[in-house]
Amino acid sequence: GIRMYGAGEDPVALIEGNISWGHRGADFQTKGGDLNQLGKVVRSIAPSGSMIARQATYSLMTTGNDHPSNILLDEEENLDLNREFADPQNLDFRLQADSRFRNAGPEGADKGPFPYEPNIFYVTPHGDDNADGLSIENAWKSLEHALNKLPPGSTLYVEGDANTNDTVLSVENDDENMPIRIRGRGTSPASITGALSIRQSHNIEFERINFTEGILIGDSSNLRFNNCQFTGSGSSIRAERVDGLRITHSIFSHFTTSALQAKDSSNVFLQSNIFDNTEGTAAEADQADTMLYSDYNGYSQSEQVWRIGGEELSLQQVQSEHDRYSNVITPEFEEEDQRLSLRNQASLATKGAFAGPLGVHRKFTELEHVLRLAGPFVHSVTDTTANIEWWVSGPTDIGLEWGTSMAMENTATSQTHRAGSFSLTGLEPDTDHYLRLTLDEPLELLDSAPAVETRDDSVVISFTTAAEASEPQTYYVATDGDDNNAGLSREEAWRTITHAAGQVHPDDTVRIAGGTYTESVRIRTTGEEGQPITFKALAGEKVILDGGGRTLDCAFYITNKSHLRFDGFYLYDFNHGSSNMPWSDEAGGNNGSFVLHGGDDIHITRCFHGRRTSGYIPGLLAATHSSNVMVRNCVITASMGGGISFYGCPDIRIENNVFLRNLIQHVSEAVNEPDQMIYMKNNIFTDNIPSKVTGSMFAVGKIESLVEKNNCYYLRLPKEERKMFMFYEPFAYERAARAYRVGVEFDEPPVIKERVQWSLPEYQQNDNPESGSIAANPRFKGAREMEGTDEAGDPLYVADRLAGKEGLDFPDLFATNPEVVERGIGLDPEAFEDFHFEK
């Protein structure tokens, strides 16, 4: 939720138009001082929590804040949510026409966040076409009657089965910003039976609808289908002269010709769908450029995936342009009354876009909070390790217990928001083991490995470790590969790093061929001490991990995995958000292209992070509660926040790197306990951007934790003036440690005091006389031919120009200053002898 601390006589915060879906106490909370005006909350929703802000008006919550404009769900007698709101199960809390909250607020206003508007209509099997259709009690009966009465911007909710009677829908809606939405209501499936024709219609969205017969679309534009099912034979959707057809998170089955047939059409978008293409082709079009985008879909077989101009294409052929991260899957359907459900939905939970589910899924659940758990599942075992995974519907702490008997003497806790992962190491070979997942609250078990025991708050599974270790393997990944290959040679390479990450075992190596890989890789297996898992670029080939124009948050996502090596990558254009460390509930933090939590012995070497871009990108590394992390011979440039940020990470080593013109800080939020050492040696740090020159370059929690030696600082100001180091004084440290869960607990927020900021001479004199670091121009190799002075003859800060150099690469950042080279500061050129650099 949102917590605010402070005091004052005037309003200091306004929270307006928010939806909060929490389940742990207050969603919006204010504390401290004179709070009569603090934390105004207006037209917001917290349907599973309360708002403790003093001024909440025209809002919806469970209890508290009894302003006459608010809706307090727990204090309403005989309340039927489905009778009052448009679709509460799917978070649509707009009022029905005859809701008790109409005209019940101050001066006859409507209560709650949404004043009533007559633009939501309802169709039910028990309705009446002579009614106004504006509430469930006065719903229409006939879909045919409803479809052609919908004005722009309206919503039609369908409950149960509705028959089209072979209706032709024709809606002239030219406003792209006010689409017509036709949605299934609630959690029970809504079905449209009978053939449906859509002609000369524009800007219409269908969601949560089962179509039992085909749809014919002609001369239309901007049509969307999301979370829909199509079970008709022949072709499920036939589109002719349609511009802009978007189909996401839908399921196609029973089709015998094609799931989608697009003729004389353009801008077709397919994502996160399931195509059961056992009898027909998934998609058919006159020409390939009909498809604007298709990816992260699931096909039941790799053949007859597309038919373009009469030629059938396999998934491998399609992957040259589209569907690069789509998979061959085996959907297990259950069918009742022409409605489908997936028995193995949990196994498809992360194969869609952004590691989301394939096919139809529910984003929200009912207001009564029940955690839904899928898992635990055993991803893989070796003779001494086991990799466990699970998925949960909301943020919670998962308890783990394991051992060789039901006594399960080993315990751990894992903070989980959605996808959870934990690896057990040091296990006995060829031995039965038991593992229990526990929650502090009731759960609904969706699916798991075969369970030994299931209770209201826990589930136990068993597994057997291998009798002996497998032989170390070297696998290959290439942009022209196929994830159905063996992966054991360059000729039989896999297509994605993600696939490789799911196959490896301790002591295995993944060699990655040159090219661009737009993916966010979740590491699913752990290495062992002395047997790390290695991901490495092929010698002489440039491997680019690309964030797709900042649509992906990170390149590698690693939770509770250890003994890993990453070497030789270029990381470009990942997204800078407030945080992609979801296990931290309270810390905002920076994010990173590498995200680590709970691991040990992880090395990142020879990686080039960042390049000139028009938007904000994250740092190279964001790590929490991970030990023995090393970053060496890397370039970190253009990061929005900290180039490296971490907390609770003992023995982290930052060595022989170049930090080039990061926007605010180079190392930030380095909040370790005093005995959790930070080793920062032999690096080159250029200054921040000019507008941040008064800020620090390093933000460190405890001065005792930093071991800083033999670095070179290329500064904009004289070293005596540049305040580079910021250390937290005791109370400020405790505040930061509390936020980052580093060994400190408080009943009340501590008083915030000033932080210590030192220049390099002050730091060396006051705390670190053994530093040996210098302030000097490293004379980067790539800047030797750049002008060193401006037109007036004043020195230029050449790192600014170098940071914007097209094609900037490692050799450009080799130091040539004799003193810097002699001291072994910066990138080690000998470490890059197997790289191929373009001249």
Side-chain angles (χ1 to χ4, degrees), residues 454-512:
T454 302
R455 299 190 301 215
D456 288 343
D457 62 350
S458 66
V459 58
V460 177
I461 63 170
S462 64
F463 60 89
T464 303
T465 49
E468 57 185 24
S470 59
E471 289 295 322
Q473 299 288 339
T474 297
Y475 297 107
Y476 293 82
V477 173
T479 57
D480 58 356
D482 186 333
D483 285 343
N484 294 311
N485 288 341
L488 293 172
S489 68
R490 175 63 181 83
E491 293 72 25
E492 281 289 305
W494 290 324
R495 173 62 184 83
T496 64
I497 307 169
T498 296
H499 179 77
Q503 309 302 315
V504 290
H505 296 301
D507 220 13
D508 287 348
T509 299
V510 179
R511 305 298 302 272
I512 303 169

Side-chain angles (χ1 to χ4, degrees), residues 29-287:
Q29 179 176 344
T30 59
K31 288 184 178 181
D34 179 3
L35 296 179
N36 288 329
Q37 298 292 325
L38 178 62
K40 286 189 174 181
V41 180
V42 182
R43 297 204 185 281
S44 296
I45 302 173
S48 63
S50 60
M51 300 180 192
I52 309 181
R54 296 302 187 269
Q55 292 196 13
T57 59
Y58 293 99
S59 296
L60 181 149
M61 63 202 83
T62 54
T63 188
N65 294 275
D66 56 353
H67 190 276
S69 66
N70 294 325
I71 297 174
L72 308 180
L73 298 179
D74 286 355
E75 300 181 22
E76 291 286 336
E77 295 184 2
N78 302 316
L79 178 64
D80 182 353
L81 297 175
N82 287 312
R83 175 68 180 75
E84 306 296 334
F85 302 107
D87 187 11
Q89 303 297 339
N90 294 293
L91 284 187
D92 188 345
F93 288 95
R94 292 178 292 174
L95 301 177
Q96 295 185 36
D98 52 7
S99 168
R100 69 170 73 177
F101 303 113
R102 293 281 316 279
N103 311 121
E107 300 181 355
D110 294 340
K111 281 189 170 186
F114 303 109
Y116 171 74
E117 293 184 52
N119 60 357
I120 308 174
F121 304 92
Y122 305 83
V123 168
T124 72
H126 308 293
D128 183 348
D129 286 346
N130 293 316
D132 61 19
L134 292 171
S135 67
I136 286 295
E137 290 294 315
N138 294 295
W140 292 322
K141 180 180 179 67
S142 165
L143 184 67
E144 182 181 12
H145 175 81
L147 285 179
N148 292 298
K149 287 182 173 291
L150 302 176
S154 63
T155 301
L156 174 66
Y157 277 113
V158 180
E159 279 193 350
D161 293 338
N163 194 295
T164 64
N165 294 319
D166 298 333
T167 294
V168 175
L169 172 63
S170 181
V171 178
E172 284 290 344
N173 176 21
D174 295 328
D175 193 339
E176 294 183 7
N177 298 316
M178 297 186 67
I180 293 171
R181 298 178 173 92
I182 301 170
R183 296 171 170 170
R185 187 172 188 263
T187 58
S188 299
S191 295
I192 292 180
T193 61
L196 176 63
S197 295
I198 303 174
R199 296 288 188 183
Q200 297 179 340
S201 297
H202 311 278
N203 305 306
I204 302 176
E205 299 178 3
F206 292 86
E207 187 168 7
R208 299 188 296 274
I209 300 289
N210 297 341
F211 295 92
T212 64
E213 296 188 31
I215 302 176
L216 178 62
I217 308 173
D219 301 302
S220 300
S221 65
N222 294 333
L223 303 183
R224 296 188 174 193
F225 295 85
N226 182 55
N227 269 324
C228 293
Q229 294 183 10
F230 301 86
T231 57
S233 60
S235 292
S236 301
I237 298 178
R238 288 180 293 161
E240 297 182 10
R241 298 176 301 281
V242 175
D243 180 31
L245 176 60
R246 186 182 183 96
I247 305 172
T248 56
H249 288 289
S250 295
I251 295 176
F252 293 83
S253 68
H254 298 77
F255 56 91
T256 54
T257 305
S258 56
L260 167 65
Q261 184 182 92
K263 293 184 177 180
D264 298 325
S265 298
S266 57
N267 294 316
V268 174
F269 184 102
L270 306 174
Q271 186 182 79
S272 302
N273 303 294
I274 294 175
F275 295 97
D276 187 14
N277 59 324
T278 53
E279 296 185 46
T281 301
E284 180 178 355
D286 303 324
Q287 51 194 15

Side-chain angles (χ1 to χ4, degrees), residues 351-571:
K351 295 185 181 296
F354 305 107
L358 278 176
V360 174
H361 73 290
R362 288 190 53 73
K363 191 173 183 180
F364 302 106
T365 55
E366 36 296 3
L367 298 183
E368 295 80 14
H369 176 71
V370 177
L371 276 177
R372 287 164 172 79
L373 173 69
F377 302 101
V378 180
H379 167 68
S380 59
V381 296
T382 67
D383 57 325
T384 59
T385 69
N387 301 290
I388 311 299
E389 298 179 341
W390 62 89
W391 288 265
V392 68
S393 60
T396 189
D397 287 342
I398 298 284
L400 297 101
E401 304 169 14
W402 70 93
T404 55
S405 70
M406 287 292 284
M408 289 181 275
E409 62 278 6
N410 304 293
T411 62
T413 301
S414 178
Q415 301 163 29
T416 305
H417 275 221
R418 286 176 297 175
S421 178
F422 197 86
S423 293
L424 314 178
T425 59
L427 304 179
E428 298 180 29
D430 197 19
T431 303
D432 293 336
H433 290 77
Y434 298 87
L435 178 135
R436 174 183 285 119
L437 247 58
T438 61
L439 287 82
D440 292 333
E441 49 197 306
L443 66 90
E444 177 184 335
L445 184 63
L446 298 179
D447 193 10
S448 76
V452 175
E453 174 187 280
T454 302
R455 299 190 301 215
D456 288 343
D457 62 350
S458 66
V459 58
V460 177
I461 63 170
S462 64
F463 60 89
T464 303
T465 49
E468 57 185 24
S470 59
E471 289 295 322
Q473 299 288 339
T474 297
Y475 297 107
Y476 293 82
V477 173
T479 57
D480 58 356
D482 186 333
D483 285 343
N484 294 311
N485 288 341
L488 293 172
S489 68
R490 175 63 181 83
E491 293 72 25
E492 281 289 305
W494 290 324
R495 173 62 184 83
T496 64
I497 307 169
T498 296
H499 179 77
Q503 309 302 315
V504 290
H505 296 301
D507 220 13
D508 287 348
T509 299
V510 179
R511 305 298 302 272
I512 303 169
T516 298
Y517 300 82
T518 306
E519 52 183 308
S520 189
V521 182
R522 182 180 292 273
I523 301 300
R524 302 177 69 186
T525 57
T526 187
E528 276 274 58
E529 186 173 0
Q531 298 178 307
I533 297 172
T534 300
F535 295 83
K536 183 182 181 68
L538 277 174
E541 301 194 26
K542 186 173 184 178
V543 175
I544 298 173
L545 291 167
D546 187 84
R550 297 182 303 283
T551 59
L552 300 179
D553 285 340
C554 64
F556 290 97
Y557 196 89
I558 306 161
T559 59
N560 301 309
K561 303 289 177 285
S562 300
H563 311 293
L564 300 169
R565 305 289 184 264
F566 302 91
D567 181 64
F569 302 131
Y570 293 77
L571 303 112

